Amino acid sequence: MEWAERSMPVLRAIRERFTATRPLQGRRVAACLQVTAETAGLIATLVAGGAEVTLAASNPLSTQDDTAAALVEEYGVGVFARAGVSLDTYYQHINAALDIGPDLVLDEGCDLVNTLHTSRTELLDQVRGGTEATTTGVIRLHQMARERVLRFPMVAVNDTPTKRMFDNRYGTGQSTLDGLMRATNIMLAGRTIVIAGYGACGTGLAERARGMGAQVVITEIDPVKALDATLQGYRVMPMSEAAAIGDVFITVTGSRDVLRAEHFAVMKDGALLANSGHFDVEIDVAALASMAVERRTWIRHQVDEYVLPDGRRLILLAEGRLVNLGVADGHPAAVMDMACANQALTVAWLAERLPLKNDHGSGAQERPELEPRVHPVPTEIDTEVARLKLDSMKIKIDTPTPAQEEYLRSWRLGTQ
Ligand code: NAD
Ligand code: SAH
């Protein structure tokens, strides 16, 4: 945790501010996030701000058990997480974190908010709002809002530029290849890597794979993204064609069954399959298991080999769950710095906008209530995170002159 903190100067600055101003005094916060050293820095920041916090894992494989223990021991946080739990235990943990009776929530993938709206509805009235940290979670929240079932406002931290442009792109790009290499020690140069999905994660992953000398193939369903990938110089084709030529397949789409039986049927012997997108649904693992005549688990961490009737071996990493968190340590702290800073500042902003229902002393109550839908991170927060990050890197930028500001505001001047 100390090692991670060294690369998280923005979060450190926010923690110092929170220690002095206590913006979360008296607030109860339940979080469902990857339990890593970087998340620990975020949780410690919320505690420094005065909150009582519980934390459940947002992934059954990714928990760093030593970090979970340290958060309990040294910060008094109720942590409900252990690496490699069953799905039942995973949801028991989310329920245990919710037992705190939160008035603010932090989610990542929407499992906690989903649990609140389905099996823990008795807690809904006291929840004032929350944050969502990943693309898939935001998509689900929009759907809940559309169906008018979302009961409190949620802020889409994922969508703010200082999160998505850096975490999803550079973070996923680096940590996914890290997971792939830790699991297999594969040489990427000269291999054909098929990346399904050319969104924020896919672009970062493709750039980094190309940088390692791999031949990158992109599959997409969006014509604009497919065109972009083509003009970036990647080969673009449907998965039905890519399946036969790939050495490594990585899914980052947020969708399900992107790799399925018809693809496994034509893949090369020894093909590696990994997901770095969403839960364990992007690769149809059940179909792979039912096609296989044998399954061998290698001594290396999270490497399962499925032997098909014709003798071909397909190798699945991290059980089809996120390879960067299941095998490696997730994104580097330097990029999580911005994701965590956005979450900390947004939770404080929500606490100010949404005081506890029995708190009558605060002027904030005079502001209009936030509606129960998906809200953007306020631009000031995004800009502040970028400014603090640049400051920490000792990078300075220009400021517009008064004449430039005037020019950018006006429409009267044409060609001169
Ligand atoms: P995005 O919406 O920017 O990109 C997803 C892309 O996948 C889109 O371009 C979409 O057109 C494409 N796509 C959808 N279905 C497809 C299919 N069947 N075949 C090929 N392409 C398809 O989303 P993103 O921000 O890149 O996130 C992608 C996923 O990764 C989400 O589930 C997100 O929650 C997750 N994520 C993971 C990490 C991590 O640490 N591994 C980090 C951030 C986000
Ligand atoms: N909960 C779902 C969706 C996760 S998307 C699942 O596990 O399948 C992955 C999320 O993990 C992203 O929002 C990203 O910000 C976060 N993440 C990546 N590396 C991390 C790290 N080192 N510590 C904490 N969170 C991390």
Side-chain angles (χ1 to χ4, degrees), residues 10 21 29 43 65 69 73 98 114 179 184 197 202 210 234-235 248 267 283 291 305 312 320 338 365 390 407 410:
V10 180
T21 58
V29 178
I43 299 297
D65 288 334
E73 181 72 20
L98 284 173
N114 184 309
T184 62
R210 178 154 68 183
Y234 302 115
R235 291 166 73 195
V248 179
M267 282 178 182
I283 302 174
M291 288 166 78
E305 182 171 273
R312 279 177 307 122
M338 291 184 279
Q365 272 169 317
L390 283 173
Y407 184 75
S410 70

Side-chain angles (χ1 to χ4, degrees), residues 1-65:
M1 285 161 61
E2 285 173 19
W3 178 255
E5 251 178 53
R6 288 188 197 177
S7 301
M8 302 180 87
V10 180
L11 193 66
R12 285 203 312 270
I14 293 168
R15 195 190 307 183
E16 269 173 37
R17 193 189 308 165
F18 277 18
T19 305
T21 58
R22 307 280 285 176
L24 301 171
Q25 189 63 45
R27 307 303 292 245
R28 270 184 271 178
V29 178
C32 179
L33 300 168
Q34 315 284 341
V35 180
T36 64
E38 293 75 27
T39 299
L42 166 61
I43 299 297
T45 304
L46 302 180
V47 171
E52 191 187 335
V53 188
T54 54
L55 172 66
S58 60
N59 182 309
L61 283 190
S62 67
T63 298
Q64 296 168 3
D65 288 334

Side-chain angles (χ1 to χ4, degrees), residues 145-269:
R146 242 174 257 128
E147 292 177 21
R148 296 187 180 282
V149 293
L150 185 64
R151 289 275 301 275
F152 45 80
M154 287 291 291
V155 178
V157 168
N158 176 74
D159 293 359
T160 209
T162 51
K163 197 278 181 184
R164 194 175 199 176
M165 275 171 65
F166 300 93
D167 170 309
N168 300 30
R169 183 172 180 171
Y170 301 101
T172 311
Q174 177 168 323
S175 61
T176 302
L177 294 187
D178 184 18
L180 190 65
M181 291 189 286
R182 283 201 213 185
T184 62
N185 198 21
I186 186 187
M187 169 130 161
L188 296 177
R191 300 288 174 99
T192 299
I193 298 199
V194 179
I195 297 172
Y198 194 65
C201 295
T203 47
L205 186 51
E207 279 163 4
R208 269 133 200 84
R210 178 154 68 183
M212 299 286 285
Q215 294 175 19
V216 178
V217 171
I218 301 291
T219 71
E220 252 298 342
I221 56 166
D222 178 337
V224 177
K225 301 283 177 62
L227 189 58
D228 185 16
T230 306
L231 269 59
Q232 279 292 336
Y234 302 115
R235 291 166 73 195
V236 176
M237 62 185 77
M239 187 59 85
S240 54
E241 287 172 31
I245 62 170
D247 298 304
V248 179
F249 294 82
I250 306 175
T251 52
V252 271
T253 70
S255 189
R256 62 174 303 160
D257 305 334
V258 179
L259 291 176
R260 48 186 185 270
E262 70 202 67
H263 305 128
F264 305 141
V266 296
M267 282 178 182
K268 293 199 252 185
D269 179 33

Side-chain angles (χ1 to χ4, degrees), residues 397-411:
I397 59 170
D398 286 327
T399 36
T401 63
Q404 286 170 336
E405 275 179 354
E406 173 62 23
Y407 184 75
L408 293 173
R409 272 199 307 269
S410 70
W411 60 271

